[in-house]
């Protein structure tokens, strides 16, 4: 299923024994263009509740009607999970502690977005954990994890050539693998009618976090040829094929 992160951000997280919080943000890998964590506020549900990180590795089901994401964790597991410092970035060291606590295999020790696997939930098994520990022996533990806030990215200027062509409005999530196949660019200050256009991660050359800018590989005239976003049709097969073909053929100038 494809969905805008702005839509999912209001969903409630449901543990195996009851609701535990509301998504406040997402952390994504700006190299793999993959959502690594949901940042969840638990203070209404858990005593002394605080914000916690929940990985899509724990995913059971997404209920769009009830606006809930069901995870294979109990309230106690979430309550007892390693605490995080909201003022600091999430380090690889913290990830290792969290994954060891949950018994997950490591996504960062394999060749794909989820290590040796195509989907995050595959990391919940003993074989994945054993493979992760084996791979970790040969892995550079000092490597950065490149986790960034979606809230931070939304609103960044999009630069094509030397021209500002819009700003980042949202990211599209593929809930099968939690990768980001597309970005939504709001062009209302640039194009007549204020279209919201779709770009693929391959069209992003660089994200300058200090200057709050996203630099495209495309010139401004090619941005106009990008497909327009229609949220109601995101999961329509005909629309998805049309968008895929359009993104593959950009640029057209």
């Amino acid at each position: 299923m494809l969905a805008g992160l702005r839509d999912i951000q209001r969903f409630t997280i449901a543990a195996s024994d009851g609701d535990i919080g509301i998504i406040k943000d997402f952390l994504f890998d700006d190299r793999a263009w993959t959502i690594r964590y949901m940042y969840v506020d638990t203070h209404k549900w858990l005593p002394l509740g605080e914000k916690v990180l929940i990985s899509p590795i724990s995913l059971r089901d997404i209920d769009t009607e009830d606006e809930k994401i069901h995870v294979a964790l109990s309230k106690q597991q979430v309550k007892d999970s390693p605490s995080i410092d909201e003022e600091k970035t999430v380090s690889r060291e913290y990830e290792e502690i969290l994954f060891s606590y949950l018994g997950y295999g490591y996504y960062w020790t394999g060749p794909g977005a989820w290590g040796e696997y195509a989907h995050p939930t595959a990391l919940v098994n003993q074989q994945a954990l054993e493979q992760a520990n084996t791979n970790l022996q040969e892995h550079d533990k000092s490597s950065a994890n490149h986790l960034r806030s979606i809230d931070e990215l939304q609103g960044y200027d999009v630069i094509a050539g030397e021209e500002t062509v819009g700003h980042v409005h949202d990211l599209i999530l593929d809930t099968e693998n939690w990768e980001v196949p597309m970005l939504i660019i709001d062009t209302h200050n640039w194009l007549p009618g204020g279209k919201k256009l779709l770009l693929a991660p391959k069209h992003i050359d660089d994200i300058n976090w200090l200057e709050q800018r996203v630099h495209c590989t495309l010139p401004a005239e090619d941005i106009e040829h990008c497909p327009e976003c229609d949220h109601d049709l995101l999961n329509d097969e005909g629309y998805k094929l049309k968008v895929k073909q359009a993104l593959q053929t950009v640029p057209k100038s």
Side-chain angles (χ1 to χ4, degrees):
M1 181 182 76
L2 298 182
L5 288 180
R6 284 182 180 269
D7 295 329
I8 294 179
Q9 193 163 344
R10 64 174 179 264
F11 282 21
T12 298
I13 300 296
S16 57
D17 52 355
D19 296 343
I20 54 174
I22 294 178
I23 301 172
K24 291 301 182 183
D25 195 4
F26 299 90
L27 295 183
F28 86 111
D29 186 325
D30 65 359
R31 294 182 303 177
W33 286 91
T34 300
I35 303 298
R36 298 298 188 197
Y37 299 101
M38 295 170 283
Y39 203 18
V40 181
D41 188 342
T42 68
H43 80 274
K44 289 184 179 180
W45 284 269
L46 296 178
L48 302 177
E50 56 187 19
K51 291 186 177 67
V52 298
L53 293 182
I54 294 182
S55 167
I57 294 171
S58 66
L59 182 70
R60 290 176 55 199
D61 177 58
I62 299 178
D63 187 335
T64 55
E65 290 189 8
D66 288 342
E67 297 189 346
K68 286 190 176 185
I69 293 181
H70 296 267
V71 296
L73 298 170
S74 67
K75 286 185 176 182
Q76 194 65 42
Q77 279 181 292
V78 175
K79 181 182 177 182
D80 294 341
S81 64
S83 60
I84 57 174
D85 187 337
E86 296 178 33
E87 302 301 320
K88 297 181 179 180
T89 58
V90 176
S91 66
R92 180 69 81 216
E93 289 74 18
Y94 174 82
E95 287 189 285
E96 289 185 23
I97 294 171
L98 178 63
F99 277 49
S100 295
Y101 165 73
L102 294 170
Y104 294 164
Y106 303 137
Y107 70 80
W108 57 88
T109 60
W114 295 103
E116 303 287 342
Y117 303 92
H119 303 95
T121 53
L123 291 170
V124 190
N125 63 68
Q126 187 61 32
Q127 181 180 353
L129 181 58
E130 291 173 356
Q131 183 65 50
N133 287 327
T134 299
N135 292 347
L136 197 61
Q137 304 297 324
E138 304 172 358
H139 187 71
D140 182 6
K141 296 181 67 172
S142 65
S143 61
N145 55 17
H146 292 264
L147 297 179
R148 295 287 186 171
S149 162
I150 293 296
D151 270 357
E152 182 181 354
L153 182 64
Q154 290 171 342
Y156 275 25
D157 288 336
V158 178
I159 311 298
E162 300 296 324
E163 190 172 354
T164 300
V165 296
H167 65 266
V168 177
H169 174 72
D170 200 4
L171 275 67
I172 300 296
L173 171 69
D174 184 336
T175 61
E176 290 296 316
N177 53 24
W178 284 69
E179 294 182 18
V180 175
M182 293 175 287
L183 301 84
I184 303 176
I185 308 302
D186 189 335
T187 65
H188 76 273
N189 287 330
W190 180 59
L191 290 177
K195 294 180 179 179
K196 290 185 173 65
L197 303 179
L198 293 168
L199 288 179
K202 69 178 182 179
H203 297 134
I204 304 303
D205 182 50
D206 175 64
I207 302 175
N208 190 317
W209 298 97
L210 292 177
E211 297 181 2
Q212 300 185 354
R213 290 183 171 188
V214 174
H215 294 272
C216 291
T217 60
L218 303 174
E221 56 266 27
D222 287 333
I223 298 292
E224 296 185 57
H225 296 296
C226 290
E228 191 167 358
C229 180
D230 188 331
H231 270 89
D232 293 335
L233 294 177
L234 280 178
N235 291 290
D236 178 85
E237 292 303 322
Y239 175 75
K240 287 198 295 184
L241 179 60
K242 181 180 178 180
V243 167
K244 181 179 180 180
Q245 292 173 337
L247 291 175
Q248 286 176 339
T249 55
V250 173
K252 293 184 178 181
S253 60

